[in-house]
Amino acid sequence: MDIVLEGFDYYIFDKFYASLFPISLNGHLPTSISKNLKLGNYSSTLNDYIQLQKQSSLNDDNEHLIKLTKEYITEKDIYGYFAKFFPENEDMYLSIFSRNHLFREFLSLMIVMTIFGWILYLTCATFSYRYVFDKEIFNHPRYLKNQMSLEIKQAVSAIPIMVLCTVPWFMLDINGYSNLYLNVNETSGAWPYGWKAIFFEYFTFIMFTDCGIYLIHRWLHWPKVYKMFHKPHHKWIVTTPFASHAFNPFDGYFQSVPYHIYPALFPLNKVSYLILFTFVNFWTVMIHDGEYLTNDPVVNGAACHTVHHLYFNYNYGQFTTLWDRLGGSYRKPERELFDKSKKKEKQTWEKQIEKMEKIRNTVEGKNDDRVYGTENFLLKKKK
């Protein structure tokens, strides 16, 4: 995440914070810093800059700052003390909230990750809706009135709160409290690095997080927990791609925790982390798009997740069916789902509803507060 944050600092936030929260003593910078900035010797200002932070008493980590050296900062891979991925610039030294300031890190990450979350969600879901999603699902008897609009509203409002809960994990990462690394050829203890290890990390990340999500997801189906957190996501009995992030925000956060625990325990390349973080969001959209490409017994694809939304207590996994098989919660998707004509038949939907209602009554009780129908624009089009 430090790669992303430094890019935004370089192009946007350095100037933003320098303009709104300028650093100065009696309105002037010390001569040594001013001289170095004019000469373009940005890195040589580090020691003077630390002293200025101490004198101004405006940084929460003053004592910590003085104890740190460049070697220690580099070794611990702590963000913000000097430029690493992008060139240094004058503005990075001109705010009371330096790049490594905890308030600035928190605020910047909140802004970046919220906007990134919205863009990623809306882009992936819109692409899937337009080019993959079978819009015949709008005619399913258990499709809600204006469901897609409700999904988008729920997701867009939940993402900032999910980010709020997640930012502390990112702050731990960029302050050196994780096993994220950049150099592929680094070595650390008994854990091997290198390109072979990179590919191995992808496998272990998927397997570790799949297990973690299975356990958390199954916990979320405990009656009291389900009612408190997970029920809003099961409002969608049949789903569109926009249901992918339409959670209670704390539900969404809980299911993301394994993605942050993994780099806290095991080495993971920083670029791989960004790729996997994006892939996870893309995969979440895919398993809600209702396009059943494969009936693979190992992969927990869209068909398996459709079974989860229809029948509640099955197929809790995210990527594979392994943990559902071990936990006795695997339910094989019906063959009709893979027949393009039969999966849309009224008879198929009626069978689904009959089975679903029995389970729903057990999980949620006889009262169903859902309002079924379709999208308003489809009704207008028919008229």
Side-chain angles (χ1 to χ4, degrees), residues 131-143:
Y131 297 107
V132 180
F133 176 61
D134 187 349
K135 297 170 184 62
E136 285 293 323
I137 202 68
F138 290 148
N139 297 314
H140 195 288
R142 287 302 178 264
Y143 185 84

Side-chain angles (χ1 to χ4, degrees), residues 1-13 77-80 82-87 99 109 112-113 170 173-175 180-184 268-275:
M1 199 53 63
D2 54 346
I3 302 173
V4 174
L5 188 56
E6 187 170 317
F8 276 90
D9 276 335
Y10 178 75
Y11 289 106
I12 300 174
F13 290 140
D77 202 9
I78 300 173
Y79 176 74
F82 52 90
K84 187 174 181 182
F85 306 106
F86 293 83
R99 286 184 176 183
L109 286 168
V112 171
M113 296 313 301
F170 293 142
D173 292 340
I174 64 178
N175 283 284
L180 290 171
Y181 68 93
L182 185 62
N183 187 349
V184 176
L268 181 63
N269 184 266
K270 291 181 178 182
V271 176
S272 297
Y273 186 55
L274 293 175
I275 293 171

Side-chain angles (χ1 to χ4, degrees), residues 52 68 90 101 103 107 109 134 146 159 170 187 212 255 262 272 293 351 367-368 370:
L52 177 60
L68 289 174
E90 178 176 336
H101 194 283
F103 169 76
L107 182 59
L109 286 168
D134 187 349
N146 296 321
I159 284 173
F170 293 142
T187 58
Q255 294 194 60
Y262 182 92
S272 297
L293 300 177
K351 285 182 180 179
N367 294 327
D368 185 2
R370 297 171 180 84

Side-chain angles (χ1 to χ4, degrees), residues 12 46 69 99 112 180 194 203 242 248 264 281 296 318 341 373:
I12 300 174
L46 180 62
T69 64
R99 286 184 176 183
V112 171
L180 290 171
F203 173 76
F242 293 101
N248 171 296
N281 284 271
D296 191 290
Q318 177 80 347
S341 59

Side-chain angles (χ1 to χ4, degrees), residues 1 4 113 116-117 119-121 123-125 170 202 205-206 245 259-260 268 270-286 318-319:
M1 199 53 63
V4 174
M113 296 313 301
F116 177 75
I119 292 174
L120 188 62
Y121 162 67
T123 301
C124 291
F170 293 142
Y202 278 73
F205 179 89
I206 295 295
H245 293 66
Y259 303 132
H260 308 295
L268 181 63
K270 291 181 178 182
V271 176
S272 297
Y273 186 55
L274 293 175
I275 293 171
L276 286 164
F277 188 80
T278 304
F279 165 74
V280 164
N281 284 271
F282 181 67
W283 181 265
T284 304
V285 171
M286 286 176 59
Q318 177 80 347
F319 302 110

